[in-house]
Amino acid sequence: VQLVESGGGLVQAGESLTLSCAVSGLSFDEYDIGWFRRVPGKEREGVSCINTGTGSSVYGDSVKGRFTISIDKDKNTVYLQMSSLKPEDTAVYYCTADPDCRYYTGSYYYFIDYWGHGTQVTVSS
């Protein structure tokens, strides 16, 4: 299984950024895809997850209304559109895969099956 993130970078507060996750080696019939993030000194936080079967999604409270997750099954890619970015969104963002999206509304990172290597997002004030 490979989850390869791209699109991270440095932006100013209020700007937007889109992360991509190229997925290979697993079936969307068996796994949902999501994002966690990690701020140094804090536990990994669930950001969002998309049910690859129904297209429904969940979001962490801190990003609701600002982030949007989507999937392009033809390209085997999941996207995380981030808008109205804040300095507190600064983190390493990890693409993840798990059979269930239920673990993405908190810090239940220890249940997640697969992880990418992460991409850094830095939001300056």
Side-chain angles (χ1 to χ4, degrees):
V1 175
Q2 281 196 312
L3 305 171
V4 181
E5 304 95 338
S6 61
L10 172 64
V11 297
Q12 293 189 332
E15 293 184 340
S16 299
L17 199 63
T18 297
L19 304 182
S20 301
C21 175
V23 181
S24 61
L26 59 76
S27 169
F28 287 142
D29 290 337
E30 298 177 352
Y31 284 89
D32 296 328
I33 307 298
W35 296 85
F36 270 77
R37 66 186 183 184
R38 179 177 58 85
V39 176
K42 294 187 178 181
E43 285 193 328
R44 300 184 189 194
E45 174 191 14
V47 176
S48 182
C49 178
I50 187 164
N51 182 307
T52 54
T54 67
S56 63
S57 56
V58 297
Y59 296 92
D61 288 340
S62 60
V63 306
K64 280 180 182 176
R66 299 188 298 121
F67 290 12
T68 302
I69 192 170
S70 61
I71 186 170
D72 185 334
K73 290 186 178 181
D74 291 335
K75 295 183 178 180
N76 285 341
T77 301
V78 173
Y79 303 96
L80 184 68
Q81 296 174 277
M82 307 183 294
S83 61
S84 302
L85 282 163
K86 305 174 182 180
E88 50 264 44
D89 293 317
T90 295
V92 177
Y93 284 73
Y94 296 91
C95 181
T96 57
D98 194 81
D100 201 320
C101 273
R102 78 173 87 174
Y103 303 122
Y104 290 81
T105 55
S107 297
Y108 303 109
Y109 59 91
Y110 34 84
F111 289 109
I112 303 302
D113 282 2
Y114 297 106
W115 294 77
H117 288 107
T119 185
Q120 177 71 46
V121 172
T122 303
V123 184
S124 63
S125 57

